[in-house]
Structure formats: structure tokens, C-alpha cells
């Protein structure tokens, strides 16, 4: 599968969130509130970006990644998911450009609390298991039709 750079999604996040309140402010509307679909159903698409590099150990292996997907992600999203290999890069606080192999998982869900809690559990488990600082999460309302 062709690689996809993280630069465009990261730029999109920066532009899309300029002037937004903190994500911790739960008083605001849910993602996509007020979005109507001419065709299909309204759902939330969540993209999760997982870096493969670790601080003190070799990178996450393909076998470790697949075991994580099989035991942590799939049980929470049995209806399905899509995963991509992506090439990421970011500017470290030292002004060094860091390039990193990454994985992207795309999930479609109803945007409810159970889905939110499942996604947060996935992010926390990955950070703990693979010594990561963060897992980027992007939520967007979409219209889907099968």
C-alpha cells in the first residue's frame, strides 16, 4: 500500500484547530453536530497515528504491531477498521526534523461515549506498551453509505 505523509494531516489539524477551545472542554458540541447527510448516515471518522520508533528499544516490529491490533483495537471495534502504513515527520523541540515510520488506523463510529472511551483506551495502551509520548487523534464528521 502506498505511503502517506503525516505532514498534510498535521497541517490540516493545525489549520482546523486554530482558534478552537481546549479538547478538555466538554461543554462544546460533539464533532459534526449539525451535519446533515444528503445520502447515507452521519458517523464520526477517527484517525489514529501511531509512531513506530521507541526511545530506548528498537522500533515496534510488524509482529508487535499486529498483536496490538489483534488484542487491543479489534476487540473494541469488531465492526471493522482500516490501517495504513504512513511516513511521518515532525520538528522536535531541539529544532531537529524527525522522520518516523508510522501506522494510521481509521475507525468509523457513532461518536458516543463508548466509542470515545474505547479510542482513549487504545491510545493509552499503545503509549504504555511501546514507550510513546502521544498518539495523534483526529475526529471528523462524515457521511457514509455502503
Amino acid at each position: 500500500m502506498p505511503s502517506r505523509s503525516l505532514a498534510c494531516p498535521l497541517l490540516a489539524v493545525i489549520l482546523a484547530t486554530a482558534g478552537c477551545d481546549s479538547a478538555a472542554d466538554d461543554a462544546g458540541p460533539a464533532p459534526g453536530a449539525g451535519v446533515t447527510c444528503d445520502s447515507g448516515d452521519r458517523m464520526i471518522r477517527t484517525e489514529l497515528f501511531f509512531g513506530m520508533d521507541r526511545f530506548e528499544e528498537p522500533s515496534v516490529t510488524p509482529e508487535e504491531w499486529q498483536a496490538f491490533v489483534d488484542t487491543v483495537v479489534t476487540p473494541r471495534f469488531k465492526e471493522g477498521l482500516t490501517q495504513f502504513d504512513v511516513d511521518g515527520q515532525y520538528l522536535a523541540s531541539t529544532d531537529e526534523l524527525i522522520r518516523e515510520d508510522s501506522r494510521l488506523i481509521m475507525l468509523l463510529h457513532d461518536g458516543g461515549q463508548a466509542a470515545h472511551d474505547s479510542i482513549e483506551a487504545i491510545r493509552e495502551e499503545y503509549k504504555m506498551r511501546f514507550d510513546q509520548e502521544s498518539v495523534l487523534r483526529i475526529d471528523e464528521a462524515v457521511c457514509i453509505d455502503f
Side-chain angles (χ1 to χ4, degrees):
M1 187 167 283
S3 296
R4 180 174 145 192
S5 173
L6 281 175
C8 290
L10 289 175
L11 179 58
V13 170
I14 292 167
L15 294 174
T17 58
C20 292
D21 290 334
S22 166
D25 180 11
D26 292 333
V35 170
T36 58
C37 297
D38 292 333
S39 176
D41 298 312
R42 181 177 99 46
M43 294 189 80
I44 302 300
R45 178 179 62 215
T46 296
E47 295 179 346
L48 299 174
F49 293 81
F50 302 86
M52 297 288 109
D53 292 347
R54 294 187 248 199
F55 290 109
E56 300 294 327
E57 298 178 45
S59 296
V60 176
T61 67
E63 295 79 17
E64 289 174 313
W65 169 254
Q66 194 58 56
F68 174 79
V69 171
D70 292 345
T71 62
V72 177
V73 183
T74 300
R76 290 177 168 89
F77 289 91
K78 294 176 184 162
E79 299 82 18
L81 58 92
T82 302
Q83 57 179 314
F84 305 91
D85 293 335
V86 295
D87 299 321
Q89 69 181 43
Y90 62 94
L91 188 62
S93 59
T94 60
D95 285 338
E96 178 185 6
L97 184 62
I98 307 295
R99 291 185 172 92
E100 179 177 21
D101 287 338
S102 302
R103 301 294 178 271
L104 181 154
I105 289 182
M106 183 174 61
L107 305 165
L108 295 171
H109 56 88
D110 64 6
Q113 190 64 47
H116 171 79
D117 292 347
S118 290
I119 292 165
E120 289 308 303
I122 291 166
R123 293 173 74 204
E124 291 305 314
E125 178 63 25
Y126 190 80
K127 290 189 293 187
M128 183 184 71
R129 187 179 293 193
F130 298 114
D131 194 22
Q132 300 290 310
E133 290 183 57
S134 64
V135 172
L136 175 64
R137 175 180 178 169
I138 301 172
D139 293 311
E140 181 178 19
V142 294
C143 297
I144 65 160
D145 194 2
F146 292 100

